[in-house]
Amino acid sequence: MSLSGKVAVVTGGGSGIGRAICVRLARDGAAVSIWDLNGEAASETAGMIEDAGSRAICCVGDASAAEQIASNAETTRDALGCIQILVNNAGISDFCRFQDITAENLSRILDVNVKGPFYCTQAIIPDMLEAGWGRIVNISSSSAQTGSIAMTHYSASKGAIITFTKSLAKEFAGAGITVNNIPPGFIDTPMLRASPVDVDMQSENSPMGRPGRPDDIAAACAYLVSDDAGYVTGQTIGVNGGRVIL
Ligand code: NAP
């Protein structure tokens, strides 16, 4: 298995896309540390990882809070070893007319969607530098590529993640560390189902006639963290069923 002996951290691994990524990386041989707000959901994912034949631990708390991140990283190293794969997946969305976005909403979106990946990466990159090998995958959004009505704060935060990816990729390309991002589009998860999006109507109007599955994102992530993707860095790999073609 290609990831045998590797330790992966997946933020937001308790649900949707993050859960599918955890299980897929475990099937490919990685031990996985699940960082999520929801302890019960994280434990369920841990059970799925163990069923897939790998090791898992849960770090419950806010993956955008610097102190929590430092403690999660220590707990992960103690339990599983040096961390060489980071998937910055935890995110929150919000639908709101531009004029009605409050300072509080904007701050929370930027904290979770931008500062979280920033601080998680700062906490974990020393492990990758020491190992001389690392893989970082940031989950952005197709709304950052196209813009999205009533999501200016969310799409701006995800746009920042695309630029974050490019700059990190350049800074660490010589250190054996690749950094890429996947902007999902219309993936059937609890986040999508909780949104005002009419999933059936949107499915009918989409090129493939269906929403994406969390496994569709997990498959792209599995490639990006593999040795096969060693010459791929700084890229935006759209997984959206042809809804966004740039
Ligand atoms: P989801 O089903 O809501 O799962 C997100 C998970 O992250 C939840 O378990 C959530 O916990 C956790 N989480 C949220 N904030 C956190 C924090 N501060 N610290 C730790 N854990 C946190 O969402 P999803 O659809 O799988 O989305 C995953 C990522 O894909 C997000 O970054 C999202 O923006 C992006 N994305 C999704 C779509 C889509 O169509 N689904 C499209 C574009 C981009 P709680 O449930 O307790 O909040």
Side-chain angles (χ1 to χ4, degrees):
M1 285 194 285
S2 63
L3 301 181
S4 187
K6 298 282 194 308
V7 175
V9 164
V10 181
T11 68
S15 173
I17 292 169
R19 171 173 282 175
I21 291 171
C22 286
V23 174
R24 174 61 196 258
L25 300 192
R27 281 203 192 114
D28 289 354
V32 183
S33 181
I34 307 151
W35 295 12
D36 202 285
L37 282 175
N38 184 329
E40 207 175 310
S43 297
E44 266 180 49
T45 303
M48 295 164 86
I49 290 168
E50 280 152 13
D51 290 347
S54 198
R55 286 190 301 155
I57 63 159
C58 302
C59 294
V60 179
D62 185 345
S64 68
E67 274 182 23
Q68 180 75 53
I69 290 167
S71 138
N72 288 356
E74 258 332 287
T75 305
T76 303
R77 286 183 197 110
D78 288 348
L80 302 175
C82 169
I83 303 161
Q84 286 170 277
I85 298 171
L86 169 63
V87 183
N88 284 310
N89 163 79
I92 52 172
S93 70
D94 187 37
F95 291 78
C96 190
R97 247 171 37 119
F98 179 69
Q99 300 93 307
D100 298 333
I101 295 169
T102 62
E104 199 183 8
N105 282 357
L106 179 60
S107 286
R108 187 65 192 148
I109 288 269
L110 294 177
D111 281 351
V112 177
N113 294 359
V114 182
K115 291 186 188 170
F118 201 101
Y119 295 146
C120 287
T121 304
Q122 279 187 324
I124 289 173
I125 214 152
D127 290 38
M128 299 181 184
L129 288 170
E130 200 181 317
W133 190 100
R135 295 284 185 268
I136 300 170
V137 178
N138 298 317
I139 305 299
S140 56
S141 170
S142 62
S143 69
Q145 299 174 292
T146 60
S148 198
I149 293 169
M151 297 187 89
T152 48
H153 46 347
Y154 175 80
S155 45
S157 73
K158 293 298 191 174
I161 285 303
I162 295 179
T163 319
F164 171 66
T165 299
K166 291 178 182 178
S167 296
L168 266 184
K170 287 196 171 177
E171 193 158 338
F172 292 101
I177 301 170
T178 68
V179 192
N180 293 287
N181 86 91
I182 301 172
F186 194 49
I187 308 298
D188 199 351
T189 67
M191 179 188 280
L192 181 71
R193 292 285 169 179
S195 77
V197 170
D198 181 336
V199 177
D200 292 337
M201 201 262 284
Q202 291 274 342
S203 295
E204 275 170 31
N205 293 330
S206 68
M208 292 192 183
R210 68 164 178 91
R213 303 178 187 107
D215 283 347
D216 293 322
I217 306 298
C221 186
Y223 165 67
L224 290 172
V225 305
S226 71
D227 277 324
D228 286 345
Y231 200 54
V232 178
T233 197
Q235 303 304 309
T236 300
I237 311 290
V239 180
N240 56 53
R243 288 166 60 91
V244 178
I245 300 179
L246 299 175

